[in-house]
Each structure stands twice: as structure tokens, then as C-alpha cells.
mmCIF file of all heavy atoms in Angstrom:
data_model
loop_
_atom_site.group_PDB
_atom_site.id
_atom_site.type_symbol
_atom_site.label_atom_id
_atom_site.label_comp_id
_atom_site.label_asym_id
_atom_site.label_seq_id
_atom_site.Cartn_x
_atom_site.Cartn_y
_atom_site.Cartn_z
ATOM 1 N N PHE A 12 18.348 -122.981 -105.772
ATOM 2 C CA PHE A 12 18.923 -121.609 -105.508
ATOM 3 C C PHE A 12 18.710 -121.230 -103.965
ATOM 4 O O PHE A 12 19.727 -120.623 -103.393
ATOM 5 C CB PHE A 12 18.249 -120.524 -106.372
ATOM 6 C CG PHE A 12 18.730 -119.106 -106.066
ATOM 7 C CD1 PHE A 12 19.939 -118.561 -106.460
ATOM 8 C CD2 PHE A 12 17.817 -118.230 -105.341
ATOM 9 C CE1 PHE A 12 20.296 -117.304 -106.125
ATOM 10 C CE2 PHE A 12 18.144 -117.023 -105.046
ATOM 11 C CZ PHE A 12 19.426 -116.456 -105.438
ATOM 12 N N GLU A 13 17.720 -121.546 -103.413
ATOM 13 C CA GLU A 13 17.550 -121.240 -101.962
ATOM 14 C C GLU A 13 18.412 -122.139 -101.195
ATOM 15 O O GLU A 13 18.905 -121.723 -100.153
ATOM 16 C CB GLU A 13 16.029 -121.474 -101.516
ATOM 17 C CG GLU A 13 15.063 -120.482 -102.257
ATOM 18 C CD GLU A 13 13.652 -120.845 -102.107
ATOM 19 O OE1 GLU A 13 13.308 -122.038 -101.937
ATOM 20 O OE2 GLU A 13 12.726 -119.967 -102.306
ATOM 21 N N TRP A 14 18.705 -123.408 -101.599
ATOM 22 C CA TRP A 14 19.600 -124.153 -100.799
ATOM 23 C C TRP A 14 20.940 -123.666 -100.937
ATOM 24 O O TRP A 14 21.751 -123.485 -99.903
ATOM 25 C CB TRP A 14 19.624 -125.599 -101.354
ATOM 26 C CG TRP A 14 18.507 -126.448 -100.792
ATOM 27 C CD1 TRP A 14 17.452 -127.095 -101.622
ATOM 28 C CD2 TRP A 14 18.276 -126.869 -99.460
ATOM 29 N NE1 TRP A 14 16.634 -127.727 -100.693
ATOM 30 C CE2 TRP A 14 17.090 -127.657 -99.434
ATOM 31 C CE3 TRP A 14 18.952 -126.567 -98.348
ATOM 32 C CZ2 TRP A 14 16.565 -128.249 -98.262
ATOM 33 C CZ3 TRP A 14 18.439 -127.082 -97.047
ATOM 34 C CH2 TRP A 14 17.204 -128.006 -97.106
ATOM 35 N N ALA A 15 21.439 -123.149 -102.155
ATOM 36 C CA ALA A 15 22.728 -122.673 -102.376
ATOM 37 C C ALA A 15 22.892 -121.230 -101.511
ATOM 38 O O ALA A 15 23.968 -121.056 -100.951
ATOM 39 C CB ALA A 15 23.005 -122.331 -103.771
ATOM 40 N N LEU A 16 21.810 -120.501 -101.515
ATOM 41 C CA LEU A 16 21.828 -119.269 -100.801
ATOM 42 C C LEU A 16 21.880 -119.533 -99.243
ATOM 43 O O LEU A 16 22.701 -118.822 -98.524
ATOM 44 C CB LEU A 16 20.601 -118.410 -100.950
ATOM 45 C CG LEU A 16 20.575 -117.013 -100.835
ATOM 46 C CD1 LEU A 16 21.601 -116.323 -101.782
ATOM 47 C CD2 LEU A 16 19.223 -116.366 -101.207
ATOM 48 N N ALA A 17 21.240 -120.455 -98.788
ATOM 49 C CA ALA A 17 21.398 -120.939 -97.379
ATOM 50 C C ALA A 17 22.733 -121.495 -96.968
ATOM 51 O O ALA A 17 23.248 -121.172 -95.941
ATOM 52 C CB ALA A 17 20.207 -122.053 -97.044
ATOM 53 N N ALA A 18 23.400 -122.186 -97.987
ATOM 54 C CA ALA A 18 24.647 -122.683 -97.688
ATOM 55 C C ALA A 18 25.659 -121.475 -97.623
ATOM 56 O O ALA A 18 26.560 -121.538 -96.798
ATOM 57 C CB ALA A 18 25.009 -123.663 -98.800
ATOM 58 N N TRP A 19 25.535 -120.559 -98.500
ATOM 59 C CA TRP A 19 26.430 -119.485 -98.520
ATOM 60 C C TRP A 19 26.297 -118.590 -97.251
ATOM 61 O O TRP A 19 27.343 -118.260 -96.584
ATOM 62 C CB TRP A 19 26.042 -118.482 -99.700
ATOM 63 C CG TRP A 19 26.813 -117.265 -99.716
ATOM 64 C CD1 TRP A 19 28.226 -117.114 -99.765
ATOM 65 C CD2 TRP A 19 26.209 -115.920 -99.792
ATOM 66 N NE1 TRP A 19 28.487 -115.700 -99.766
ATOM 67 C CE2 TRP A 19 27.358 -114.990 -99.763
ATOM 68 C CE3 TRP A 19 24.949 -115.405 -99.745
ATOM 69 C CZ2 TRP A 19 27.257 -113.673 -99.865
ATOM 70 C CZ3 TRP A 19 24.786 -114.129 -99.821
ATOM 71 C CH2 TRP A 19 25.861 -113.183 -99.890
ATOM 72 N N LEU A 20 25.073 -118.409 -96.781
ATOM 73 C CA LEU A 20 24.858 -117.769 -95.447
ATOM 74 C C LEU A 20 25.463 -118.673 -94.232
ATOM 75 O O LEU A 20 25.938 -118.077 -93.203
ATOM 76 C CB LEU A 20 23.421 -117.472 -95.128
ATOM 77 C CG LEU A 20 22.918 -116.224 -95.850
ATOM 78 C CD1 LEU A 20 21.445 -116.051 -95.424
ATOM 79 C CD2 LEU A 20 23.724 -114.960 -95.327
ATOM 80 N N GLY A 21 25.272 -119.911 -94.359
ATOM 81 C CA GLY A 21 25.821 -120.803 -93.248
ATOM 82 C C GLY A 21 27.306 -120.693 -93.155
ATOM 83 O O GLY A 21 27.854 -120.629 -92.113
ATOM 84 N N VAL A 22 27.999 -120.693 -94.321
ATOM 85 C CA VAL A 22 29.486 -120.512 -94.364
ATOM 86 C C VAL A 22 29.779 -119.162 -93.817
ATOM 87 O O VAL A 22 30.787 -118.988 -93.045
ATOM 88 C CB VAL A 22 29.991 -120.686 -95.716
ATOM 89 C CG1 VAL A 22 31.398 -120.230 -95.867
ATOM 90 C CG2 VAL A 22 29.867 -122.132 -96.227
ATOM 91 N N GLU A 23 29.015 -118.172 -94.185
ATOM 92 C CA GLU A 23 29.275 -116.781 -93.646
ATOM 93 C C GLU A 23 29.172 -116.750 -92.126
ATOM 94 O O GLU A 23 30.005 -116.165 -91.476
ATOM 95 C CB GLU A 23 28.289 -115.865 -94.340
ATOM 96 C CG GLU A 23 28.555 -114.346 -94.042
ATOM 97 C CD GLU A 23 29.724 -113.848 -95.050
ATOM 98 O OE1 GLU A 23 29.929 -114.530 -96.136
ATOM 99 O OE2 GLU A 23 30.346 -112.804 -94.738
ATOM 100 N N ALA A 24 28.152 -117.418 -91.575
ATOM 101 C CA ALA A 24 28.060 -117.468 -90.161
ATOM 102 C C ALA A 24 29.090 -118.308 -89.447
ATOM 103 O O ALA A 24 29.682 -117.830 -88.337
ATOM 104 C CB ALA A 24 26.735 -118.111 -89.858
ATOM 105 N N LEU A 25 29.425 -119.311 -90.075
ATOM 106 C CA LEU A 25 30.477 -120.263 -89.536
ATOM 107 C C LEU A 25 31.891 -119.569 -89.533
ATOM 108 O O LEU A 25 32.514 -119.607 -88.409
ATOM 109 C CB LEU A 25 30.662 -121.571 -90.318
ATOM 110 C CG LEU A 25 31.635 -122.623 -89.723
ATOM 111 C CD1 LEU A 25 31.152 -122.946 -88.299
ATOM 112 C CD2 LEU A 25 31.521 -123.828 -90.565
ATOM 113 N N THR A 26 32.219 -118.877 -90.574
ATOM 114 C CA THR A 26 33.493 -118.272 -90.706
ATOM 115 C C THR A 26 33.532 -117.024 -89.707
ATOM 116 O O THR A 26 34.563 -116.541 -89.288
ATOM 117 C CB THR A 26 33.864 -117.804 -92.106
ATOM 118 O OG1 THR A 26 32.753 -117.125 -92.612
ATOM 119 C CG2 THR A 26 34.072 -119.127 -92.965
ATOM 120 N N THR A 27 32.377 -116.345 -89.524
ATOM 121 C CA THR A 27 32.350 -115.390 -88.499
ATOM 122 C C THR A 27 32.617 -115.847 -87.084
ATOM 123 O O THR A 27 33.306 -115.117 -86.283
ATOM 124 C CB THR A 27 30.887 -114.693 -88.506
ATOM 125 O OG1 THR A 27 30.650 -114.108 -89.724
ATOM 126 C CG2 THR A 27 30.642 -113.584 -87.414
ATOM 127 N N LEU A 28 32.019 -116.960 -86.689
ATOM 128 C CA LEU A 28 32.371 -117.702 -85.443
ATOM 129 C C LEU A 28 33.847 -117.952 -85.234
ATOM 130 O O LEU A 28 34.404 -117.724 -84.150
ATOM 131 C CB LEU A 28 31.528 -118.849 -85.302
ATOM 132 C CG LEU A 28 30.019 -118.660 -85.000
ATOM 133 C CD1 LEU A 28 29.366 -120.019 -84.952
ATOM 134 C CD2 LEU A 28 29.675 -117.947 -83.848
ATOM 135 N N THR A 29 34.571 -118.302 -86.305
ATOM 136 C CA THR A 29 35.923 -118.642 -86.243
ATOM 137 C C THR A 29 36.832 -117.594 -86.640
ATOM 138 O O THR A 29 38.108 -117.667 -86.704
ATOM 139 C CB THR A 29 36.201 -119.870 -87.105
ATOM 140 O OG1 THR A 29 35.854 -119.530 -88.388
ATOM 141 C CG2 THR A 29 35.363 -121.095 -86.707
ATOM 142 N N SER A 30 36.241 -116.346 -86.784
ATOM 143 C CA SER A 30 37.075 -115.114 -87.255
ATOM 144 C C SER A 30 38.033 -114.699 -86.219
ATOM 145 O O SER A 30 37.929 -114.931 -85.007
ATOM 146 C CB SER A 30 36.149 -114.061 -87.593
ATOM 147 O OG SER A 30 36.746 -112.798 -87.777
ATOM 148 N N VAL A 31 39.196 -114.111 -86.657
ATOM 149 C CA VAL A 31 40.121 -113.403 -85.746
ATOM 150 C C VAL A 31 39.524 -112.343 -85.128
ATOM 151 O O VAL A 31 40.094 -111.869 -84.106
ATOM 152 C CB VAL A 31 41.368 -113.096 -86.562
ATOM 153 C CG1 VAL A 31 42.149 -114.407 -87.163
ATOM 154 C CG2 VAL A 31 41.052 -112.015 -87.623
ATOM 155 N N SER A 32 38.362 -111.692 -85.650
ATOM 156 C CA SER A 32 37.644 -110.733 -84.965
ATOM 157 C C SER A 32 36.269 -110.888 -85.235
ATOM 158 O O SER A 32 35.654 -110.274 -86.151
ATOM 159 C CB SER A 32 38.225 -109.312 -85.438
ATOM 160 O OG SER A 32 37.439 -108.284 -84.896
ATOM 161 N N PRO A 33 35.411 -111.602 -84.482
ATOM 162 C CA PRO A 33 34.119 -111.946 -84.634
ATOM 163 C C PRO A 33 33.211 -110.641 -84.771
ATOM 164 O O PRO A 33 32.346 -110.507 -85.592
ATOM 165 C CB PRO A 33 33.646 -112.756 -83.486
ATOM 166 C CG PRO A 33 34.924 -113.363 -83.116
ATOM 167 C CD PRO A 33 36.064 -112.443 -83.333
ATOM 168 N N ARG A 34 33.638 -109.643 -83.948
ATOM 169 C CA ARG A 34 32.813 -108.350 -84.106
ATOM 170 C C ARG A 34 32.930 -107.704 -85.378
ATOM 171 O O ARG A 34 31.961 -107.330 -85.973
ATOM 172 C CB ARG A 34 33.247 -107.377 -82.859
ATOM 173 C CG ARG A 34 32.412 -106.227 -82.823
ATOM 174 C CD ARG A 34 32.812 -105.213 -81.641
ATOM 175 N NE ARG A 34 32.141 -104.091 -81.614
ATOM 176 C CZ ARG A 34 32.322 -102.996 -82.314
ATOM 177 N NH1 ARG A 34 33.236 -103.014 -83.292
ATOM 178 N NH2 ARG A 34 31.600 -102.004 -82.173
ATOM 179 N N MET A 35 34.129 -107.672 -85.898
ATOM 180 C CA MET A 35 34.304 -107.004 -87.254
ATOM 181 C C MET A 35 33.674 -107.844 -88.296
ATOM 182 O O MET A 35 33.084 -107.319 -89.185
ATOM 183 C CB MET A 35 35.855 -106.899 -87.469
ATOM 184 C CG MET A 35 36.090 -106.203 -88.841
ATOM 185 S SD MET A 35 37.927 -105.941 -89.078
ATOM 186 C CE MET A 35 38.176 -104.682 -88.049
ATOM 187 N N SER A 36 33.645 -109.100 -88.194
ATOM 188 C CA SER A 36 33.043 -110.004 -89.206
ATOM 189 C C SER A 36 31.458 -109.891 -89.123
ATOM 190 O O SER A 36 30.880 -110.143 -90.181
ATOM 191 C CB SER A 36 33.396 -111.448 -88.968
ATOM 192 O OG SER A 36 34.876 -111.678 -89.158
ATOM 193 N N VAL A 37 30.948 -109.608 -88.095
ATOM 194 C CA VAL A 37 29.442 -109.318 -88.035
ATOM 195 C C VAL A 37 29.090 -107.994 -88.589
ATOM 196 O O VAL A 37 28.191 -107.855 -89.408
ATOM 197 C CB VAL A 37 28.932 -109.364 -86.614
ATOM 198 C CG1 VAL A 37 27.520 -108.992 -86.439
ATOM 199 C CG2 VAL A 37 29.105 -110.812 -86.025
ATOM 200 N N PHE A 38 29.756 -106.869 -88.185
ATOM 201 C CA PHE A 38 29.367 -105.551 -88.534
ATOM 202 C C PHE A 38 30.074 -105.099 -89.794
ATOM 203 O O PHE A 38 29.664 -104.082 -90.418
ATOM 204 C CB PHE A 38 29.536 -104.578 -87.396
ATOM 205 C CG PHE A 38 28.708 -104.947 -86.216
ATOM 206 C CD1 PHE A 38 29.201 -105.603 -85.072
ATOM 207 C CD2 PHE A 38 27.434 -104.579 -86.218
ATOM 208 C CE1 PHE A 38 28.488 -105.931 -83.982
ATOM 209 C CE2 PHE A 38 26.523 -104.881 -85.096
ATOM 210 C CZ PHE A 38 27.073 -105.548 -83.956
ATOM 211 N N GLY A 39 31.233 -105.457 -90.147
ATOM 212 C CA GLY A 39 32.086 -105.098 -91.229
ATOM 213 C C GLY A 39 33.140 -104.241 -90.886
ATOM 214 O O GLY A 39 33.032 -103.596 -89.772
ATOM 215 N N ASP A 40 34.018 -103.945 -91.814
ATOM 216 C CA ASP A 40 35.126 -103.047 -91.533
ATOM 217 C C ASP A 40 34.716 -101.620 -91.904
ATOM 218 O O ASP A 40 33.650 -101.497 -92.287
ATOM 219 C CB ASP A 40 36.413 -103.445 -92.501
ATOM 220 C CG ASP A 40 36.079 -103.323 -93.911
ATOM 221 O OD1 ASP A 40 35.160 -102.742 -94.277
ATOM 222 O OD2 ASP A 40 36.843 -103.918 -94.645
ATOM 223 N N ARG A 41 35.495 -100.758 -91.640
ATOM 224 C CA ARG A 41 35.182 -99.181 -91.698
ATOM 225 C C ARG A 41 34.947 -98.815 -93.158
ATOM 226 O O ARG A 41 34.466 -97.810 -93.409
ATOM 227 C CB ARG A 41 36.365 -98.413 -91.170
ATOM 228 C CG ARG A 41 37.751 -98.692 -91.785
ATOM 229 C CD ARG A 41 38.806 -97.777 -91.084
ATOM 230 N NE ARG A 41 40.032 -98.131 -91.726
ATOM 231 C CZ ARG A 41 41.158 -97.213 -91.606
ATOM 232 N NH1 ARG A 41 41.059 -96.060 -90.954
ATOM 233 N NH2 ARG A 41 42.414 -97.608 -92.117
ATOM 234 N N TYR A 42 35.567 -99.469 -94.228
ATOM 235 C CA TYR A 42 35.347 -99.055 -95.514
ATOM 236 C C TYR A 42 34.219 -99.706 -96.298
ATOM 237 O O TYR A 42 33.660 -98.980 -97.114
ATOM 238 C CB TYR A 42 36.670 -99.463 -96.366
ATOM 239 C CG TYR A 42 37.926 -98.545 -95.944
ATOM 240 C CD1 TYR A 42 38.958 -99.151 -95.324
ATOM 241 C CD2 TYR A 42 37.930 -97.263 -96.243
ATOM 242 C CE1 TYR A 42 40.063 -98.395 -94.895
ATOM 243 C CE2 TYR A 42 38.978 -96.479 -95.804
ATOM 244 C CZ TYR A 42 40.119 -97.044 -95.226
ATOM 245 O OH TYR A 42 41.200 -96.284 -94.839
ATOM 246 N N GLN A 43 33.965 -100.934 -96.004
ATOM 247 C CA GLN A 43 32.990 -101.764 -96.716
ATOM 248 C C GLN A 43 31.754 -102.165 -96.116
ATOM 249 O O GLN A 43 30.764 -102.379 -96.671
ATOM 250 C CB GLN A 43 33.692 -102.954 -97.463
ATOM 251 C CG GLN A 43 34.851 -102.562 -98.443
ATOM 252 C CD GLN A 43 35.412 -103.829 -99.008
ATOM 253 O OE1 GLN A 43 35.954 -104.546 -98.278
ATOM 254 N NE2 GLN A 43 35.427 -103.809 -100.391
ATOM 255 N N TYR A 44 31.792 -102.439 -94.802
ATOM 256 C CA TYR A 44 30.679 -102.974 -94.018
ATOM 257 C C TYR A 44 30.183 -104.155 -94.599
ATOM 258 O O TYR A 44 28.860 -104.391 -94.793
ATOM 259 C CB TYR A 44 29.596 -101.972 -93.953
ATOM 260 C CG TYR A 44 29.752 -100.898 -92.843
ATOM 261 C CD1 TYR A 44 30.945 -100.380 -92.514
ATOM 262 C CD2 TYR A 44 28.709 -100.456 -92.042
ATOM 263 C CE1 TYR A 44 31.159 -99.573 -91.408
ATOM 264 C CE2 TYR A 44 28.773 -99.640 -90.977
ATOM 265 C CZ TYR A 44 29.982 -99.163 -90.676
ATOM 266 O OH TYR A 44 30.197 -98.202 -89.678
#
């Protein structure tokens, strides 16, 4: 479970780096954060 959780967070970080808006991907949008 901890490995799967780490993988999920790793994907979250990687897709944030490649995001069309990295800042929005870090802090979240105005509705959901």
C-alpha cells in the first residue's frame, strides 16, 4: 500500500511538472483545490 501510495504521489508530481499550468496544478483550481 505504501509503495502504491508513493507511486500515486510520484505520478501527481510528474504530471504537475508537465502541466499546462504548473502553478494551478500545485495549488488547485478555484473550485476544488
Side-chain angles (χ1 to χ4, degrees):
F12 175 75
E13 290 168 344
W14 280 118
L16 205 60
W19 175 55
L20 275 181
V22 169
E23 194 78 20
L25 185 58
T26 54
T27 295
L28 290 174
T29 60
S30 171
V31 298
S32 175
R34 183 180 182 278
M35 180 176 287
S36 293
V37 170
F38 296 101
D40 60 20
R41 56 177 177 164
Y42 288 113
Q43 296 179 299
Y44 275 38

